[in-house]
Each structure stands twice: as C-alpha cells, then as structure tokens.
Amino acid sequence: MPHRFAFRSLFTRSFARASLRSRALLTVSIASGMAASGALAEAPLQIDNALEQVIVTATREAKTRSELAESVGVISEAQLKEIAPAHPADALNRVAGVHVNNLGGEGHMTAIRQPISTAGVYLFLEDGIPTRPTGFFNHNGLYEINVPQSAQLEVTKGPASALYGSDAIGGVINAVTRAAPESAQVRLNGEVGANGWRRALISGGNRLGENTAFRMDLNSTASEGFRDAADYTRTSFSSRLDSQFAEGWDSKTVLSYSTIDQSGVSGLEEADYRHNAEKNLYQGDIGNREVQAFRLSSELAYTPNEASLITATPFLRHNTMAMMPSWMVTYDPNIRDTEFSSYGLLLKYRRSFDRGEVIVGVDADYTPSEYREERIEITQEGVYFTDYARTGERTYYFEAEQTSVSPYVHAEFAPGDRWRLSAGVRYDVFAVDYADQLGTPDRDPSHIRPASQSRDYDNLSPKLGAVYKITDNHQLYASYRHAFRAPTVGTLFRPGSSEGTTELDPVTSVNQEIGLRGIVGDAVNYEVAVYDMTTENDIVSFISNTDEGSDRKTANAGETRHQGVEVSVRAPVGEQWELAVSYAAMRQEYRDFSYIYGHYDFVLGRYVQENLNFAGNDISRAPESMGNITLAYTPGWLTGLRVELEWSHMGRYYTDETNTRQYAGHELLNLRASRDVGEDFSVYARLCNLTDARYSTYTANQVGDEDLSYRPGLPRSLFAGVRYRF
C-alpha cells in the first residue's frame, strides 16, 4: 500500500532501524565533534574552512564552495594519499549520501540519491569532460579513470544537466588531474597485499622551458581476487602538458589511456555465501570483460582582460570493450564487442561584472559506433560454468552514429552582500543514425532487430539557485534543478524480446533541495542537505495484451520519488585527533512502476507472465541509510605517524520490487596507519574489514524467485606499501 512521508521523520525512522552499535557510534561521534568546537581555537590540529574549498565541477571553473547552491563532496589529494584507494569505493564512500559498491576488481555500481543499480543516471568526468558520450553509459565507468593518482575527486549530488547534459540525474563524479610540477619531481609508490594484490604508481614531471611543464602518471595493478578465478589487471597511463605560450594565453593538454582485464564473478546463494564465500561459479573466461579507453583533450584559454575568459576544448575518445554478460550465461549466452570513437568540442565564454557573471557555451559531440553480438555455447560442469565456444552466429551487428549539439547559459548575480542568485538552462539536441548490418531475416523473437532508421530528440534543462549568507561562517542555500537521461544506443537498438524500444524518449527528473553549511569555532565544518527528487518517464517493461496475444513492451511509463537528508561533519578533537562523519537517510518509492512477473502457475500447469504495478512500494536495492565515520590520531610523541579507524555503514534495503525480502545491511571497520620517515620516504598499511565480518556488496532477487543472490565482500585483508620521492 502507498506510504506517506515527511522529511522531519525521515532521519529519525531510518536512524531507529539501524543496529544499536551503529546508533551509539554515530551519536557519540557527532556529539564529540560538536562538543569539541568550543575548545578548538587553540588546538594545533586545524582543518581548512570548507566554505573556501575550491571546486571546479559546478561551472567548469574554479569556485569556492560558498558560491554554490548545491551539495558537492570533495576528496582532496591529501585524502587520496591517506586512503590509498584500491577501489573507487574506498574514497567516494566517505562522501555523505554516496555509495559505490565493489563487484570484484574495480567493477562497481553506484547509489547517489538513487538505488544501487546499473542505470545510466550518473555522469563520470575527467577535468570536466565526460569520459563517455551520451548513450554509452557504463556502470563500471569509474575504472576508466585513474582514481588513486588524481588531484581531487568532486561529487555533485543530484542533477547537473543544465551544464553537463544527459545522465547527470543522481550525480556527477569529476576526477581532476594533477597539474604539471614547477620543478623536477619523481614519485614512486609500491604496494602489495592479500590475494596476490600488487600495485605500482609512478609519477614524474618537470619544466620544459620557461612557460611549459609536463607530468606523467603510470598505474599498474594486478590482483588474483579473494574469490576463485577472479583475477584482475589494469594498466593506466596519463600525461598532462601545461603551457602559457603568450600573455593571456594558456593551454592544458591531457592524454589518458587505460586497459582493464577483469574476470567474471558470480553471485552466490545463501548457503555458499555464508559458508563458502570464495566460491565462484564462473571459471576460465566466463563473464570476462576487456576494456581499452583512450582520451585526449586540449583546453585553450584566452583571457583578454580581467573580466573575460574564452575557452575552447577539442577532445577525442576511443573505446573498445569485449565482454560476456555474466547475467545472461544461463538463458542467452553471448559475447559482445562494442567500439566507439568520439570527436568533440567544448566552447565557453565567461563575462564577469561587479556583482555577477554570465557564462555562455556550447558542447558538440559526434560519435560513430559499432556493436557486434555473437551466440556462444557454454560448457557447464555441475554448478560451474567452465568454458565456452563461439558459434559464428551473430544475433546483432549494427552501426550507429550519434551527433549532439548543446548550447547553454549560466548566470550569477549578487543583489546584496548576503545573497547570491544563479540560474541556468541547457538545450540538448540529439540525432542517431542506426544501420542494421545483418542481411539475414529478422525472425528470432528473442532478438528483435529494429529496421535501419534515424532517431532524434531534444531536451531543455533549467536550474535555479540561491545562497544566503546568514553570517560570515554560516550559509543557507536552495536549488531547483531539472535533469534527464537519454536512452542508450543499446536500449534503443538491442531490444531482445521487447518491442517499441526505438520509440523511447528521455527519462526526466526534477530535484528540489535546501541546505545549511558552515564552520563552527573556526574548525568544525558541517553541511546538512535535504532533497526531494521526482523521476518521470522511466523506462519499464510490461506485457501488452492484444487480440493476437501478449507482447513484451518497453516504454516510458515509470515514476519514482527520491527523498533524503545528508549530514557531514569534519572537526579536530583535542590536539591530536580528527573526526569526520557522514550520514544519509533516504526514502525512495515507486509512484507508478509496472514489472513483468514471470512464474510457474501450478493450476494452469505452465509458466506464465503477468504485469504487476509496485506503486507505493520502496524501490528495490535502495538503502534506507548510509554512514561513514573516521577517527584519525596524529600523536605528538612520534612525528609523522597517523593512525585512522574507519566505520562504514550500509542500511537495510528490499531486494526486489515486491518488498517481501530484504538485505539487513552491514557495518565494517577498517584500520589505516602511515609513517613519514623524513620528507621523502613513507610507509603505510591498511587492514580492511578488521572484524572479518561476512557482508554482501549487492543482494538481489528476481520478482517471483525467493532465492537471494549475494555478492560477498572482501574478508579481513592486509595491504602495505612504501612511497618515495626525489
């Protein structure tokens, strides 16, 4: 039955359902941070004022947090060094309201104001440029970014389509590359650990003449994985060239290349999950994926005067991926080869005034692509999938050319000393030319092939924002933002047994948000954000009954609502301790959502399919709460030592749309320690899952199937490394 919801009860209800240990630890930590604020003025351990933190994602230029009418989480270069993330989740899950799970290797799903899913509702950027074009979302896309060698990670929570376009519904994750050094520099970082973990991070750079400098980064990582046949390797290379070749003229050229080879890892039923978590049903190359991602961009900036800036950024992308969808090996085994190249240009002009500024720009992107899908035959020994053979039979082979042109305008105005108002709008125009390359008749009802055709659609994304300065150290902000998600090329032209996919329109969302942020006692940074987001025209599948029978349809027919409260606090406690707290409570529900329910009808004696509408139910795999607390100790009695204890909380969630089964959630403890031995040498270690808790990074079941599928998380594991620079 439908639920009623009020923001004032959201945090309380979600908090009450957490375990006693979770509540006690969170309550004590927040209270300790606030209570310490009165005695922090003279504490040697100081924390920077977050209101002055520089963020580039919001307007594609450096802005202080105090100017933004939205919630942005930041992981700095110093924090990345302290965390030494082996997986993007290690760093990003410290941001309030952000959860990235670990599916093995660097595979992941994301949940930011959305459920844990593979849906294309996030945008991954590198220096403000999308790593993939619209229509080619990959839920594992963060493994195409060299996270541990980034200068900063910025997470804009909620819609950002007014500036960045499609997919920026749940949020935007922007990795900022490191600038070239002012003088010769080399950094070496070697790391080893459990399950055959090996990683080498090498960085270096120098000046090239008086006005030019370069840097290069190399990331070589390999792991056998804690589960059977779950090996993973990656090699990432990036370089950056910064130059000022004339008065007022600057350029930044960034090249990135990554190769990823990741084995497939299966879910487990409960008995194996509890007692044999290392078990993996996929052996050999079953479920394997191989990725190559190349990006090149060159930003040219011209500053004719103090009030104006003109930038032009041409870019190039080239991606290939060969993968065997692990979720299809039991009913439609295949190998997919996807390849695309992108040729794009970002143009922007910014004009500043006494009390504001105007930014006008246009983004253009042309992406030809190719998709090939071949049937395979799977060899199975008992419950294990051990090998496969290609059949040479292609079920899909098509080419698609996508062109997008997106003008936008953003304006900011300060009518008084306490107010800063902002508004923006973006107009996205897409055209896709699709050509089926198979000459065989389309007679397979399980692999419907649309006829060659052209599709075009457009979308208008406005936003409004306001920041009110209560005092110099406290701000109130509010925003109203639209967002959208264009159908992917795969959804449009690889429909399987569904009809009507080529008629799909973009999914749309509207987000309303208010927030309070500031700094107490010159040291305790805090932020509270409350949001309400409604998504319409979501893509759902259902059964259409006609006189001729029943057909499976895919259409824009879903509506969902997402509400939540996000809290973050960061503070020194005494002279040698530092506390960071993030917590989020959410309620996400279906307002109108049909689903095909397939089951065996014992009365009829056959398998049947029917429609169910889950309006009023909680969205499946949508955690009701997330939390992260770190307590760091930097003693005065041993220079260079830092010890950190991290608590990570995942709240309960329903595992399917019926809300009849649920995952209870989990809490994890991680311990990190580092010691600087002089200015140029340091050692560090991290002990993950200190208590060796059994937990699942993703738990789900299909509607009509009572058996849950679990993805076991990392057991207690030790990693250690050394850093040296010269």
Side-chain angles (χ1 to χ4, degrees):
M1 58 184 297
H3 299 276
R4 297 187 181 275
F5 179 82
F7 272 123
R8 64 181 181 180
S9 65
L10 172 64
F11 195 92
T12 303
R13 182 170 64 248
S14 187
F15 204 70
R17 288 175 177 168
S19 70
L20 290 175
R21 182 178 62 178
S22 305
R23 280 183 277 167
L25 182 55
L26 183 64
T27 304
V28 169
S29 300
I30 294 177
S32 298
M34 292 302 188
S37 63
L40 291 173
E42 297 179 3
L45 181 60
Q46 292 293 313
I47 295 178
D48 293 335
N49 186 342
L51 294 177
E52 299 173 357
Q53 191 170 40
V54 174
I55 296 168
V56 298
T57 308
T59 61
R60 299 184 180 178
E61 287 187 45
K63 291 278 188 179
T64 60
R65 186 188 300 273
S66 62
E67 299 177 87
L68 307 180
E70 54 201 17
S71 179
V72 181
V74 175
I75 304 295
S76 67
E77 184 174 1
Q79 290 174 299
L80 286 171
K81 179 182 176 182
E82 294 164 357
I83 298 167
H87 187 280
D90 297 340
L92 292 168
N93 289 357
R94 299 191 176 204
V95 178
V98 175
H99 177 72
V100 177
N101 70 0
N102 187 331
L103 297 177
E106 289 186 52
H108 59 273
M109 302 177 191
T110 305
I112 307 174
R113 301 185 178 182
Q114 298 286 308
I116 306 170
S117 75
T118 61
V121 290
Y122 307 103
L123 196 59
F124 304 136
L125 313 174
E126 185 177 58
D127 284 352
I129 302 174
T131 58
R132 282 174 164 256
T134 298
F136 293 86
F137 176 78
N138 180 2
H139 68 87
N140 293 298
L142 286 172
Y143 63 24
E144 297 176 4
I145 297 174
N146 189 2
V147 169
Q149 292 181 296
S150 297
Q152 184 163 287
L153 301 178
E154 301 176 356
V155 184
T156 301
K157 290 171 280 185
S161 292
L163 192 65
Y164 290 106
S166 178
D167 300 348
I169 290 179
V172 172
I173 299 176
N174 183 28
V176 181
T177 60
R178 292 176 179 172
E182 291 292 324
S183 58
Q185 179 188 96
V186 176
R187 296 181 180 179
L188 305 177
N189 181 187
E191 187 175 296
V192 296
N195 311 307
W197 172 265
R198 306 178 303 280
R199 180 166 73 180
L201 304 176
I202 303 173
S203 299
N206 199 0
R207 299 199 67 82
L208 295 174
E210 184 177 351
N211 298 315
T212 302
F214 77 97
R215 82 168 299 114
M216 292 186 293
D217 297 295
L218 176 66
N219 176 348
S220 178
T221 303
S223 175
E224 296 172 6
F226 83 93
R227 299 183 63 190
D228 298 334
D231 55 296
Y232 163 79
T233 62
R234 80 166 295 151
T235 301
S236 293
F237 171 80
S238 60
S239 64
R240 174 167 160 168
L241 185 69
D242 296 324
S243 180
Q244 185 179 39
F245 52 87
E247 184 67 28
W249 290 88
D250 298 272
S251 69
K252 178 185 69 175
T253 300
V254 178
L255 181 149
S256 301
Y257 177 73
S258 293
T259 62
I260 298 100
D261 189 346
Q262 183 160 314
S263 296
V265 182
S266 71
L268 296 177
E269 294 188 357
E270 186 159 359
D272 286 326
Y273 164 68
R274 299 291 180 191
H275 307 292
N276 190 14
E278 293 78 15
K279 183 177 181 179
N280 182 11
L281 304 182
Y282 302 148
Q283 303 291 307
D285 289 331
I286 301 298
N288 182 69
R289 63 179 64 207
E290 297 179 4
V291 178
Q292 296 184 24
F294 171 84
R295 297 184 298 275
L296 175 64
S297 65
S298 186
E299 177 187 287
L300 179 63
Y302 173 52
T303 310
N305 52 61
E306 293 183 356
S308 301
L309 174 67
I310 302 171
T311 63
T313 309
F315 63 86
L316 170 69
R317 311 184 194 97
H318 182 75
N319 275 53
T320 63
M321 180 170 66
M323 67 169 290
M324 182 189 303
S326 59
W327 63 93
M328 301 180 74
V329 296
T330 58
Y331 65 93
D332 186 13
N334 65 80
I335 286 182
R336 301 175 176 183
D337 292 289
T338 305
E339 181 175 358
F340 68 80
S341 297
S342 295
Y343 311 91
L345 177 64
L346 312 180
L347 294 175
K348 183 185 70 176
Y349 171 69
R350 187 255 296 154
R351 176 72 178 181
S352 300
F353 304 96
D354 289 341
R355 287 191 169 273
E357 65 181 23
V358 174
I359 299 173
V360 179
V362 61
D363 299 344
D365 189 309
Y366 168 67
T367 299
S369 66
E370 185 175 272
Y371 177 84
R372 301 181 300 277
E373 182 177 315
E374 180 182 346
R375 291 184 191 270
I376 58 175
E377 294 180 349
I378 297 291
T379 300
Q380 189 171 356
E381 298 179 6
V383 297
Y384 294 95
F385 300 89
T386 58
D387 202 359
Y388 72 94
R390 290 180 176 267
T391 66
E393 180 184 355
R394 286 181 172 172
T395 50
Y396 290 97
Y397 176 25
F398 63 80
E399 295 178 352
E401 296 182 0
Q402 179 169 287
T403 305
S404 64
V405 178
S406 307
Y408 64 89
V409 60
H410 172 88
E412 297 184 14
F413 176 64
D417 293 337
R418 294 185 178 275
W419 285 95
R420 188 172 189 87
L421 308 178
S422 61
V425 64
R426 177 184 174 106
Y427 183 58
D428 288 278
V429 180
F430 298 90
V432 183
D433 294 323
Y434 155 80
D436 182 17
Q437 299 298 305
L438 290 178
T440 57
D442 178 18
R443 296 173 180 171
D444 184 353
S446 298
H447 301 90
I448 297 173
R449 290 206 321 269
S452 298
Q453 59 189 277
S454 296
R455 277 296 323 269
D456 61 81
Y457 40 89
D458 54 29
N459 192 84
L460 189 70
S461 302
K463 71 171 183 178
L464 297 171
V467 179
Y468 177 69
K469 186 168 69 173
I470 302 171
T471 68
D472 288 343
N473 289 332
H474 303 278
Q475 293 183 337
L476 183 70
Y477 67 89
S479 67
Y480 176 85
R481 293 176 282 169
H482 279 240
F484 77 104
R485 170 169 65 99
T488 65
V489 169
T491 300
L492 290 170
F493 307 121
R494 199 278 176 207
S497 59
S498 295
E499 296 183 351
T501 58
T502 58
E503 303 302 317
L504 292 173
D505 291 321
V507 178
T508 59
S509 290
V510 176
N511 183 86
Q512 302 168 80
E513 180 177 343
I514 59 173
L516 180 67
R517 62 188 172 214
I519 183 168
V520 179
D522 296 327
V524 179
N525 289 291
Y526 72 90
E527 181 168 356
V528 180
V530 181
Y531 65 88
D532 186 342
M533 180 192 303
T534 299
T535 298
E536 297 179 336
N537 296 320
D538 210 349
I539 298 173
V540 297
S541 295
F542 59 93
I543 298 294
S544 175
N545 295 310
T546 64
D547 294 338
E548 290 76 23
S550 299
D551 295 320
R552 182 187 177 109
K553 300 285 188 180
T554 298
N556 297 98
E559 182 177 348
T560 58
R561 190 176 187 184
H562 312 259
Q563 300 171 302
V565 180
E566 299 162 349
V567 180
S568 61
V569 179
R570 187 176 181 88
V573 181
E575 297 184 355
Q576 300 174 348
W577 296 85
E578 179 184 331
L579 175 71
V581 178
S582 68
Y583 193 83
M586 293 81 65
R587 172 66 195 285
Q588 304 184 59
E589 66 175 343
Y590 299 111
R591 302 188 72 175
D592 186 11
F593 200 88
S594 294
Y595 190 88
I596 297 174
Y597 172 39
H599 63 101
Y600 186 83
D601 190 311
F602 289 95
V603 176
L604 298 177
R606 60 184 175 85
Y607 184 83
V608 298
Q609 288 184 319
E610 60 179 308
N611 286 333
L612 294 178
N613 194 310
F614 300 106
N617 282 10
D618 287 354
I619 296 177
S620 61
R621 279 85 72 180
E624 67 169 15
S625 60
M626 306 172 191
N628 186 280
I629 298 175
T630 59
L631 186 62
Y633 176 53
T634 309
W637 51 267
L638 185 57
T639 303
L641 177 65
R642 185 181 190 276
V643 181
E644 175 191 274
L645 181 66
E646 177 189 20
W647 172 79
S648 179
H649 163 74
M650 164 57 67
R652 74 173 186 94
Y653 57 81
Y654 289 111
T655 57
D656 73 2
E657 291 81 355
T658 65
N659 289 184
T660 55
R661 300 294 304 276
Q662 63 177 286
Y663 175 64
H666 59 256
E667 282 87 31
L668 302 175
L669 289 175
N670 303 309
L671 182 65
R672 293 179 174 85
S674 63
R675 172 77 197 285
D676 294 332
V677 184
E679 294 184 358
D680 300 323
F681 182 75
S682 64
V683 296
Y684 65 92
R686 64 180 181 275
L687 185 58
C688 300
N689 193 359
L690 185 63
T691 62
D692 201 24
R694 173 73 69 229
Y695 69 102
S696 175
T697 64
Y698 182 70
T699 307
N701 65 291
Q702 293 292 325
V703 173
D705 185 354
E706 292 296 315
D707 294 329
L708 297 181
S709 175
Y710 299 86
R711 299 296 290 266
L714 187 70
R716 182 166 49 223
S717 303
L718 178 64
F719 303 86
V722 296
R723 297 188 181 97
Y724 180 67
R725 68 177 185 179
F726 57 90

